[in-house]
């Protein structure tokens, strides 16, 4: 197993939104392996339950909760479940996201709403529910609140075909800074990681298309990013060591946006 510079998260209680696949499932395994108790949240209950079971079987502590990030009642319920199992969540990974490709003149209103509601509203709801509970439990004194938002390099690029998605991702980075400022004296740090292109379910159809081969050939290093490239930074941002880092937006993309 990789030693992530000895960063441990023992004693932390982490909630991961969008834990059913891709990056979120990987982050869940990572945080659990670092000693955090993990609360795996997503709409696909069977997936998060299977992941929680496999983590628990390996000696970690995990619980699965069905949660749609666009529904504030479900978000609050997920935090309730977390508290009843482990205690107050102090580490929040706002990772749930969705994309709908297509020219802006053609994409449906329903798809635009789904992207904005999931990525932007969902991040807002997951973060503020966590913040309310942290503040009520004296995070001001403990200074242990950590939030990591998952943005995207599309926040700083201009493409055709993902206007709503890209707009939500720059929105997420700014939301992160706004919240960082709002909660700066409440012991809660909020940072955003902007990953480059990684092959996961969100882009699987595109990745298997001819178009993707051309696009990848134009990337500076002519390759997709490996999902585990985010791991060290994620662990650091979740740990006590990153006490002084809040309001940051960090691009991790193997140079893809250069
Ligand atoms: P993915 O599709 O495997 O994962 C997205 C996760 O979000 C899934 O678990 C999905 O079920 C969940 N989700 C979607 N809508 C939800 C909702 N309403 N409520 C709860 N959960 C919901 O893809 P991924 O690449 O792992 O995406 C994770 C995050 O990383 C997303 O925010 C995505 O925008 C971002 N990202 C991905 C890439 C990439 O190239 N893969 C690049 C930059 C950023």
């Amino acid at each position: 197993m990789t030693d992530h510079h000895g960063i441990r998260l023992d004693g932390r209680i982490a909630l991961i939104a969008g834990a059913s696949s891709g990056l979120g499932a990987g982050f869940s395994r990572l945080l659990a392996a670092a000693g955090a108790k993990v609360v795996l949240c997503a709409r696909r209950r069977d997936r998060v339950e299977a992941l929680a079971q496999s983590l628990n079987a390996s000696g970690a502590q995990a619980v699965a909760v069905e949660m749609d990030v666009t529904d504030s009642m479900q978000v609050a319920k997920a935090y309730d479940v977390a508290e009843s199992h482990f205690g107050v969540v102090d580490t929040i990974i706002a990772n749930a996201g969705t994309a709908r490709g297509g020219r802006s003149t053609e994409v449906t209103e329903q798809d635009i709403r789904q992207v904005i509601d999931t990525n932007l509203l969902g991040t807002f709801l997951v973060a503020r529910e966590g913040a309310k509970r942290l503040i009520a439990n004296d995070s001001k004194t403990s200074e242990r609140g950590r939030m990591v938002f998952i943005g995207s390099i599309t926040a700083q690029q201009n493409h055709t075909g993902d206007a709503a998605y890209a707009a939500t991702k720059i929105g997420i980075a700014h939301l992160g800074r706004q919240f960082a400022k709002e909660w700066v004296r409440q012991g809660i740090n909020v940072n955003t990681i902007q990953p480059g292109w990684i092959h996961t379910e969100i882009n699987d159809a595109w990745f298997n298309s001819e178009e993707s081969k051309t696009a990848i050939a134009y990337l500076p290093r002519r390759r997709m990013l490996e999902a585990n490239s985010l791991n060290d930074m994620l662990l650091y941002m979740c740990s006590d060591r990153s006490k002084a880092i809040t309001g940051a937006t960090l691009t991790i993309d193997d140079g893809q946006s250069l």
Side-chain angles (χ1 to χ4, degrees), residues 239-253:
S239 74
D240 294 345
R241 293 190 198 175
S242 60
K243 193 171 172 178
I245 302 184
T246 189
T249 305
L250 188 80
T251 298
I252 302 178
D253 70 350

Side-chain angles (χ1 to χ4, degrees), residues 191-223:
N191 296 297
T192 299
I193 294 177
Q194 300 192 149
W197 299 94
I198 301 164
H199 181 198
T200 63
E201 283 184 22
I202 209 169
N203 51 29
D204 189 53
W206 172 84
F207 184 79
N208 291 310
S209 70
E210 278 306 309
E211 183 198 339
S212 80
K213 293 193 179 65
T214 318
I216 293 167
Y218 273 102
L219 292 173
R221 288 181 174 159
R222 299 180 171 81
R223 63 189 183 200

Side-chain angles (χ1 to χ4, degrees), residues 18 20-21 23 43-44 68-69 95 151 165 169 196 198 200 203:
S20 57
S21 61
L23 302 182
R43 292 164 306 172
R44 293 174 290 183
D68 183 331
V69 292
N95 161 80
Y165 179 85
K169 291 300 185 176
I198 301 164
T200 63
N203 51 29

